[in-house]
Amino acid sequence: MYPLGKSGILNPKNVYYNLNAPELYEEALKRDEGILMENGALLLNTSPYTGRSPNDRFTIEVGKAKELVSWGGANKAASLEVYNKVFNKIKKYLENKDVFVCDAFAGADKNNRIKVRCINELAAQNLVMRTMLIRPESEEELAGYVPDFTLICAPGVKCVPEEDGTYSEAAILVNFEEKTVLIAGSKYAGEMKKGIFYVMNYILPQQDVFPMHCSANVGKDGDVALFFGLSGTGKTTLSADTNRSLIGDDEHGWSSNGIFNFEGGCYAKCIKLSEETEPEIYRAIKFGSIAENIVVDKNRVPDYDDASITENSRVAYPLSYIPNALIPSVAGHPKTVIFLTADAFGVLPPVAKLTKEAAMYHFVSGYTSKLAGTERGITEPSPTFSTCFGGPFLPLHPSIYAEQLGKKIEQFNSNVYLINTGWSGGPYGVGKRMSIKVTRAIVTAALTGQLEKSEFVLDPIFNILVPKTCPNVSSEILIPKNTWADKEAYEKQAKKLAGNFIKNFETKYSHMPQNIIDAGPKA
């Protein structure tokens, strides 16, 4: 067993190594960390942090990272002094306290994975990481286990900005030189999950592997599909398809051998969840799952429509809880790549085909609307551009990831589509959200090749190819202008959004080749 002291944690009271799910349930309940829901899942309340807190994450500006990290924006720098202050606080806090340790892997591909040790103050959070990472298959793997990266999470530690150099009482510090992720002050499990994703996005491009913020599934004939998009755009929902095997719902790598999942579990949104619309996710919430911030009644029955705690209620469950999950979650090269966006303007078509150049443009742009609850302070949808559909999680320069995408789709002749899961017939507050039934029909047509049989027309504003027909979808809604009562209002909104695209690209990516720039909107 790799000594805990080598991870910097000295003199704990009791150390619980690699407990199984029932054992961690018992420890969490004994410590009043949560309650059992009627369906058997463990329920936690992570308030006041019910979403990621991007202002509290810092990367330590030291060693090789000084040159490699694309500083600015989400990649805020902190000094080694700040790191040491927070780490010393965590070390002191965990003295004479019980700690829970999980040794696991990030990456289903044994040739492209890292060993991650998770050290947690809370049993429930250790169970989350045991669920979300990939567990060793044998005692032999554990016996020789030496972590490549260590994550230490102590929500009970409250930072003092004036003393510690942090933004608030919470802090997420990533130190690539020391190979550690420190989390203080927040119980929200998404900080741990995305902390490891950030690490993978740093390591893998240096090994010529393309890391992606996407879900993935595969058909019976081995046809792989990728779904890119930010939280709330439908990655998890649309990749959970009864007719296809799920590779994973959020984080993947694309190597010279194909696609592989980074995780061993799923972390799904629960707001407005129903068995009718999302049966696989609904049925995965049972014993062994860990839910966050769901409202329950006196009988512990969950009310997934109640957003009084947050719009961002979540559940973590093992990938094996999805009946048609592919385990190990490794597959071939993608035939279809889908970019998902939730357009709050209501002017993007439900689906458009993208050329390689347009795919590069829209991947780098990463347009969507942030949905309520995904981050603290977001109470209603707001238009945003998130680089490569995962800007907050990309430590390296965006051009590195964009070039990897372009190279892959050209090498393996992948079809690329932009699908709008947002609003139609008007902007947010006027139009209606695309129904899951319509979106599923569009996705099915794309995956089966039926969409390729349609005649495509060029959208003159957004410069994308829009199909005139799609099986099981009304042709009227395919051209967004047709769904607006006020055509002039549509033109105004469309040109406004196109202008936002152009301004964003000019500001951030003026160095991109002219053929990529020319593939964007033309307003």
Side-chain angles (χ1 to χ4, degrees):
M1 184 71 68
Y2 187 76
L4 191 63
K6 287 192 174 183
S7 301
I9 305 304
L10 305 173
N11 306 316
K13 184 178 180 181
N14 295 299
V15 182
Y16 297 90
Y17 285 100
N18 297 310
L19 298 188
N20 60 33
E23 290 170 330
L24 287 167
Y25 259 62
E26 290 172 355
E27 295 296 336
L29 293 171
K30 185 167 66 178
R31 290 165 168 75
D32 294 323
E33 294 175 10
I35 62 172
L36 280 183
M37 291 199 293
E38 179 266 347
N39 55 24
L42 180 64
L43 175 63
L44 316 176
N45 187 316
T46 71
S47 297
Y49 291 87
T50 57
R52 288 184 299 104
S53 188
N55 289 332
D56 292 312
R57 196 195 72 203
F58 297 88
T59 303
I60 308 307
E61 193 175 14
V62 65
K64 190 179 177 182
K66 273 187 177 182
E67 306 301 324
L68 291 182
V69 172
S70 179
W71 299 107
N75 295 322
K76 296 184 294 298
S79 67
L80 189 58
E81 181 184 8
V82 170
Y83 172 82
N84 288 332
K85 283 182 179 180
V86 175
F87 200 0
N88 287 334
K89 231 174 194 179
I90 290 174
K91 291 175 185 177
K92 185 174 181 181
Y93 176 82
L94 292 178
E95 285 184 3
N96 297 315
K97 280 189 170 60
D98 292 347
V99 295
F100 298 86
V101 179
C102 169
D103 292 327
F105 300 100
D109 182 350
K110 293 185 178 181
N111 296 316
N112 295 287
R113 63 172 23 169
I114 64 169
K115 299 173 184 174
V116 180
R117 165 165 279 191
C118 301
I119 302 171
N120 296 95
E121 170 192 358
L122 301 178
Q125 287 196 308
N126 197 247
L127 178 57
V128 170
M129 294 310 287
R130 181 187 186 276
T131 301
M132 294 308 302
L133 294 173
I134 297 168
R135 294 184 294 280
E137 297 174 356
S138 66
E139 291 297 324
E140 288 74 19
E141 277 190 328
L142 273 177
Y145 189 96
V146 177
D148 299 309
F149 245 86
T150 300
L151 180 146
I152 305 173
C153 185
V157 172
K158 307 299 181 187
C159 299
V160 179
E162 296 78 12
E163 297 176 3
D164 302 321
T166 59
Y167 181 80
S168 73
E169 68 177 15
I172 302 94
L173 304 179
V174 182
N175 189 328
F176 289 116
E177 192 74 7
E178 295 294 325
K179 296 183 169 58
T180 54
V181 178
L182 305 180
I183 300 174
S186 175
K187 292 181 182 178
Y188 178 64
E191 297 289 15
M192 297 187 293
K193 168 186 159 63
K194 292 303 186 187
I196 298 304
F197 185 43
Y198 188 74
V199 168
M200 295 292 274
N201 285 332
Y202 178 82
I203 292 173
L204 292 184
Q206 299 179 59
Q207 301 172 355
D208 198 29
V209 177
F210 177 30
M212 305 173 293
H213 184 211
C214 69
S215 59
N217 63 26
V218 58
K220 294 179 176 63
D221 296 329
D223 55 308
V224 174
L226 303 181
F227 300 81
F228 286 87
L230 298 183
S231 295
T233 56
K235 293 195 316 299
T236 300
T237 301
L238 293 170
S239 57
D241 185 333
T242 54
N243 297 313
R244 299 171 65 83
S245 296
L246 179 69
I247 302 170
D249 81 323
D250 196 42
E251 303 172 6
H252 293 82
W254 190 348
S255 73
S256 58
N257 297 321
I259 300 299
F260 64 97
N261 192 352
F262 289 171
E263 302 178 301
C266 301
Y267 189 57
K269 291 192 77 169
C270 294
I271 193 67
K272 301 189 186 305
L273 178 66
S274 73
E275 189 169 17
E276 179 183 359
T277 59
E278 299 171 275
E280 292 84 4
I281 298 172
Y282 185 92
R283 294 166 193 162
I285 306 178
K286 58 185 179 180
F287 184 83
S289 299
I290 316 95
E292 292 180 323
N293 307 313
I294 294 170
V295 176
V296 295
D297 65 17
K298 63 181 180 180
N299 296 316
R300 310 272 182 93
V301 176
D303 181 355
Y304 299 117
D305 293 328
D306 192 329
S308 57
I309 298 176
T310 179
E311 289 268 353
N312 194 39
S313 53
R314 294 274 181 171
V315 62
Y317 52 85
L319 189 62
S320 60
Y321 280 16
I322 299 297
N324 58 340
L326 182 69
I327 300 174
S329 44
V330 178
H333 298 286
K335 174 185 175 183
T336 307
V337 176
I338 292 173
F339 298 157
L340 298 168
T341 182
D343 173 32
F345 284 84
V347 292
L348 283 180
V351 60
K353 183 178 180 180
L354 304 179
T355 63
K356 174 197 165 185
E357 291 75 19
M360 297 276 287
Y361 184 98
H362 284 275
F363 180 65
V364 170
S365 297
Y367 168 70
T368 191
S369 303
K370 283 184 181 176
L371 301 183
T374 304
E375 291 182 5
R376 301 185 81 206
I378 303 295
T379 57
E380 63 179 42
S382 61
T384 187
F385 293 89
S386 182
T387 303
C388 306
F389 295 101
F393 321 123
L394 306 181
L396 307 181
H397 195 278
S399 62
I400 293 173
Y401 306 103
E403 287 166 9
Q404 286 188 300
L405 172 72
K407 179 181 175 181
K408 293 292 187 185
I409 61 175
E410 183 173 44
Q411 183 178 357
F412 299 105
N413 198 29
S414 306
N415 290 320
V416 186
Y417 300 96
L418 177 68
I419 293 182
N420 176 22
T421 63
W423 283 261
S424 177
Y428 172 77
V430 177
K432 292 183 178 180
R433 188 84 190 258
M434 296 284 181
S435 74
I436 186 66
K437 182 178 179 181
V438 167
T439 301
R440 282 198 183 279
I442 291 170
V443 169
T444 297
L447 299 185
T448 59
Q450 290 297 310
L451 204 54
E452 290 295 305
K453 298 177 182 178
S454 172
E455 178 185 350
F456 288 83
V457 294
L458 185 70
D459 185 301
I461 295 176
F462 293 106
N463 195 27
I464 50 181
L465 298 168
V466 181
K468 295 177 74 172
T469 60
C470 177
N472 301 312
V473 177
S474 169
S475 296
E476 181 181 350
I477 71 168
L478 294 175
I479 308 298
K481 187 174 182 177
N482 294 342
T483 67
W484 283 58
D486 187 336
K487 308 304 182 189
E488 289 186 7
Y490 165 81
E491 290 280 343
K492 183 177 180 180
Q493 283 281 60
K495 289 177 180 178
K496 180 180 178 181
L497 178 59
N500 288 339
F501 267 98
I502 294 167
K503 183 178 179 181
N504 174 72
F505 215 86
E506 287 176 346
T507 301
K508 298 179 182 176
Y509 315 116
S510 59
H511 63 282
M512 293 289 282
Q514 191 61 43
N515 63 331
I516 306 300
I517 296 172
D518 290 343
K522 297 297 182 184

